Amino acid sequence: MTAEMNEARPLLQLLNVSISPKKTPSRLLVNDVSFSIAAGKTTCVVGESGSGKSLTALSVMGLLSKQLQLTSGKVIFNDGLLNDNKSGEQDLTLLDQASLRKIRGAKIAMIFQEPMTSLNPVLTVGYQIGESLTTHLGLKGDTLKAKIASLLEMVGIPPSRANSYPDELSGGQRQRVMIAMSIACEPRLLIADEPTTALDVTVQAQILKLLDELKTRMNMGMLFITHDFGVVADIADNVVVMFRGQIVESGTKDEVLGNPQHPYTKALLDCVPDAEGKKPLKPIDYAWLKNTELKESGLNEEKAA
Amino acid sequence: MSNIILQANRLVKTYTQRSGKFGFGTTLVRALDDVSISLTEGKTLAVVGESGSGKSTLARCLLQLQPLDSGEVLFAGQDLAKLSGSDLRAVRKNLQMVFQDPFASLNPRMRVGEIVGEGLLIHQLGNTAEQQKKVIAMLKRVGLTEADMQKYPHEFSGGQRQRVGIARALVLQPKVVVCDEPVSALDVSIQAQILLLLKELQAEMALSYLFISHDLRVVRHIADDIVVMNGGKVVEQGKVEDIYQHPQHVYTQNLLAAIPGKKAVNA
């Protein structure tokens, strides 16, 4: 697979997506966001809380809360038929709930931040992994059991744990179960919303490695939401930096981390403590940032100045 | 040589945990297993480890918020573990704590002025006007305003709430402050602000910090000395530079290797 092929037909394209509360449509929580994700690549969306990164991810799945609406924009999903120019493409924002349900879990899957609250405590983990296999692929009986076992093995949990309940597993194991659930139907796109934030560093490192391996093996696209630049450096191919609902900078990992252009990106990178302890910490001066206009022309003005 | 302000010798704390069928059996969990640490005056001692390593138990046991099974905690020549009631309360003025979760650690029904002033009230430091003055000065010092005294915690952001938590701990002018993961619930940008604030305050008020964290990048910036805990035991301790550059214990090496973005930083 060459880079050009991916450029030509990205797996997912967000085009001018804006999100606002239904009551106040003029208040844009996500403002004109566009980016794309290629198969087999990881795009990291980075930003502080309230920057709109989670909303952006939820809008892909059509999972926005009832108080919110997509004011404009398209979410074009290209279903993996990479050799065919047209047929795979569909705008997810135009689909009804029934068609979306067919895509969710099967073609696009999601992992959430808190592995304890995302699993049902009264069902065994094996059952929960099996749910989407039954719904989407119609697996039953021994084939289902065998598939569950192989999925658990793939994420590094002994298959015998299929009969365990979530509370019998550690945080890292629960997140592995979440991953097994999400990849059960071999989705084309995996959306991971801060999947390692609640975990210990050593466990985080294992989970990041696992996700990266699975992405390569299954040629999945990954939309990875995080606030941690360390994680970005480990896992990203492309980076999108969001601030107050807008994209302030996007590019490849090396471009954004190595040579940040926007003052906000620079400021955000400056307040990440480095493991060597050489770099002094510099908090963001929001008063100063307010003066650097963020609207459409913001980037260009900054470059011209 | 510098003075040791707080010293803990051979602390042991065990919990019983229900186990076996229907929880009829019990097993002992050693949360602290023969832990000894010493905090130098005016310095920051970081305690690092993963969840379940016993670092929060250590913090709570040092301040006698939980009883110890055995061991002694020496502060200003007194063994805190032997003190009780009013004696312990009097000493606590010098030992304050900043908590991890700025959302859960502030009483939602109290105004910020009351939250910060409560310690002064309890320890009967000065009359009402003086207490008021101290609260205002402290709030201003941590970057809040006088008007914030009348507000309730929910009116603040996470970073501002953590500032309230710091003001509450420092208004009593303590000697030792135990910070239990004070920045792990905050955004990186806010985290940097709070870390710098803690450092400034340390210099101004000659504070000694016991800083509990799982984030080795943060620890590197704030700590002078470091204690690495695993499974209730201290596996390694020493100066920050020594441990980061020449970690001796396998567990420490693994922790350091797991810091995200390490490859990229080195490259």
Side-chain angles (χ1 to χ4, degrees):
Chain A
M1 168 136 346
T2 67
E4 281 159 32
M5 260 177 79
N6 285 330
E7 301 268 323
R9 280 182 288 278
L11 186 63
L12 183 82
Q13 257 181 305
L14 275 80
L15 296 171
N16 311 99
V17 169
S18 294
I19 300 169
S20 70
K22 278 181 181 156
K23 282 184 184 164
T24 51
S26 58
R27 206 177 132 235
L28 294 180
L29 303 174
V30 171
N31 187 352
D32 199 28
V33 162
S34 307
F35 63 89
S36 60
I37 300 170
K41 298 278 179 197
T42 302
T43 297
C44 275
V45 179
V46 207
E48 295 174 84
S49 23
S51 61
K53 53 191 198 301
S54 285
L55 283 182
T56 307
L58 289 174
S59 72
V60 173
M61 293 282 268
L63 287 174
L64 286 177
S65 97
K66 287 199 176 82
Q67 283 90 39
L68 301 176
Q69 61 178 9
L70 200 74
T71 18
S72 68
K74 289 180 187 171
V75 179
I76 308 283
F77 180 60
N78 188 334
D79 220 358
L81 299 169
L82 285 170
N83 293 326
D84 190 320
N85 236 336
K86 293 243 165 108
S87 69
E89 274 191 11
Q90 48 195 151
D91 185 349
L92 298 181
T93 63
L94 302 176
L95 297 182
D96 56 17
Q97 286 300 318
S99 328
L100 270 177
R101 265 199 298 278
K102 281 188 196 139
I103 291 180
R104 282 184 205 140
K107 290 170 179 171
I108 304 181
M110 191 155 180
I111 313 173
F112 300 92
Q113 173 171 359
E114 185 37 74
M116 193 59 221
T117 51
S118 345
L119 289 170
N120 188 333
V122 300
L123 300 174
T124 62
V125 296
Y127 179 87
Q128 296 186 60
I129 294 171
E131 268 182 330
S132 70
L133 291 167
T134 313
T135 315
H136 294 293
L137 306 177
L139 295 189
K140 283 193 202 102
D142 285 345
T143 28
L144 180 62
K145 267 190 192 152
K147 181 73 183 165
I148 293 170
S150 78
L151 281 166
L152 282 173
E153 205 153 22
M154 209 188 269
V155 296
I157 294 181
S160 58
R161 298 308 295 263
N163 296 320
S164 300
Y165 290 89
D167 69 287
E168 298 174 294
L169 303 176
S170 68
Q173 283 176 320
R174 283 180 213 147
Q175 199 57 292
R176 283 170 192 270
V177 169
M178 284 300 297
I179 294 171
M181 282 167 74
S182 64
I183 61 166
C185 299
E186 311 207 348
R188 304 300 310 133
L189 176 69
L190 185 63
I191 301 176
D193 189 355
E194 308 244 12
T196 58
T197 309
L199 305 176
D200 279 324
V201 270
T202 47
V203 182
Q204 166 170 292
Q206 292 164 9
I207 297 286
L208 289 178
K209 193 163 161 257
L210 172 66
L211 282 172
D212 207 45
E213 282 167 11
L214 290 171
K215 176 202 79 173
T216 314
R217 196 191 312 175
M218 300 166 63
N219 196 28
M220 283 188 301
M222 191 146 71
L223 173 59
F224 197 102
I225 295 175
T226 181
H227 64 270
D228 189 333
F229 271 108
V231 172
V232 174
D234 277 353
I235 201 167
D237 296 300
N238 296 299
V239 183
V240 171
V241 184
M242 286 187 74
F243 180 53
R244 294 186 184 155
Q246 299 187 26
I247 293 183
V248 294
E249 184 161 2
S250 61
T252 64
K253 176 174 77 183
D254 293 342
E255 282 167 10
V256 175
L257 295 190
N259 185 18
Q261 296 300 314
H262 194 277
Y264 177 71
T265 316
K266 286 181 196 167
L268 199 57
L269 281 167
D270 273 344
C271 55
V272 181
D274 61 323
E276 263 75 50
K278 286 175 191 149
K279 198 180 68 176
L281 280 182
K282 237 168 53 184
I284 295 182
D285 183 356
Y286 287 97
W288 167 74
L289 263 176
K290 255 180 209 156
N291 299 329
T292 61
E293 229 5 86
L294 267 171
K295 296 278 155 48
E296 283 308 297
S297 53
L299 265 172
N300 303 333
E301 273 171 24
E302 196 52 46
K303 272 178 189 162
Chain B
M1 269 309 280
S2 37
N3 300 322
I4 304 290
I5 188 154
L6 185 72
Q7 183 154 14
N9 293 328
R10 318 204 61 165
L11 303 184
V12 175
K13 171 79 189 169
T14 48
Y15 297 114
T16 46
Q17 194 175 48
R18 295 224 167 267
S19 65
K21 271 229 164 83
F22 305 114
F24 283 156
T26 50
T27 41
L28 282 182
V29 179
R30 295 207 135 203
L32 293 179
D33 193 352
D34 201 11
V35 171
S36 303
I37 60 160
S38 51
L39 174 59
T40 312
E41 194 168 4
K43 299 276 185 198
T44 300
L45 173 68
V47 180
V48 299
E50 296 187 274
S51 17
S53 61
K55 53 193 197 303
S56 285
T57 302
L58 173 62
R60 300 178 64 84
C61 285
L62 284 177
L63 298 189
Q64 307 303 312
L65 296 172
Q66 268 177 347
L68 280 162
D69 290 356
S70 68
E72 53 176 15
V73 181
L74 298 171
F75 173 76
Q78 287 173 298
D79 182 0
L80 298 184
K82 293 208 174 66
L83 293 180
S84 62
S86 56
D87 292 338
L88 186 57
R89 268 196 294 280
V91 174
R92 282 235 178 90
K93 185 173 88 66
N94 291 315
L95 304 165
Q96 289 293 309
M97 188 150 178
V98 176
F99 296 90
Q100 168 170 11
D101 188 341
F103 295 84
S105 60
L106 301 177
N107 188 335
R109 287 162 187 257
M110 285 169 76
R111 293 175 197 275
V112 161
E114 295 170 321
I115 292 173
V116 176
E118 199 180 22
L120 295 171
L121 208 62
I122 289 168
H123 293 287
Q124 297 170 346
L125 301 169
N127 59 35
T128 316
E130 283 166 358
Q131 289 179 1
Q132 188 90 346
K133 241 187 183 167
K134 273 192 183 167
V135 171
I136 293 170
M138 200 62 231
L139 282 177
K140 282 188 176 156
R141 181 60 199 90
V142 298
L144 299 170
T145 63
E146 191 176 336
D148 289 334
M149 276 180 76
Q150 302 306 322
K151 292 185 186 163
Y152 288 95
H154 74 262
E155 297 176 64
F156 295 95
S157 66
Q160 285 173 320
R161 281 181 220 206
Q162 204 53 295
R163 288 174 194 269
V164 173
I166 292 171
R168 170 175 62 182
L170 297 192
V171 75
L172 295 167
Q173 307 204 300
K175 300 270 194 308
V176 174
V177 181
V178 175
C179 308
D180 190 358
E181 305 258 14
V183 295
S184 54
L186 306 174
D187 269 330
V188 270
S189 54
I190 311 297
Q191 174 177 304
Q193 290 172 7
I194 298 292
L195 286 176
L196 286 177
L197 175 67
L198 284 172
K199 266 190 162 173
E200 284 166 21
L201 291 167
Q202 179 170 43
E204 280 168 36
M205 301 174 68
L207 302 169
S208 314
Y209 288 142
L210 185 85
F211 194 94
I212 295 180
S213 181
H214 68 277
D215 190 333
L216 288 143
R217 291 173 289 179
V218 167
V219 165
R220 179 81 221 225
H221 276 267
I222 192 135
D224 300 295
D225 301 299
I226 184 169
V227 169
V228 184
M229 286 186 72
N230 182 24
K233 285 194 169 78
V234 172
V235 296
E236 192 164 358
Q237 55 184 320
K239 294 258 165 242
V240 162
E241 295 85 34
D242 296 343
I243 302 254
Y244 274 69
Q245 261 145 39
H246 310 289
Q248 300 298 317
H249 197 278
V250 176
Y251 180 72
T252 317
Q253 290 165 358
N254 285 342
L255 269 187
L256 286 166
I259 296 178
K262 202 143 195 276
K263 286 170 273 174
V265 172
N266 289 341

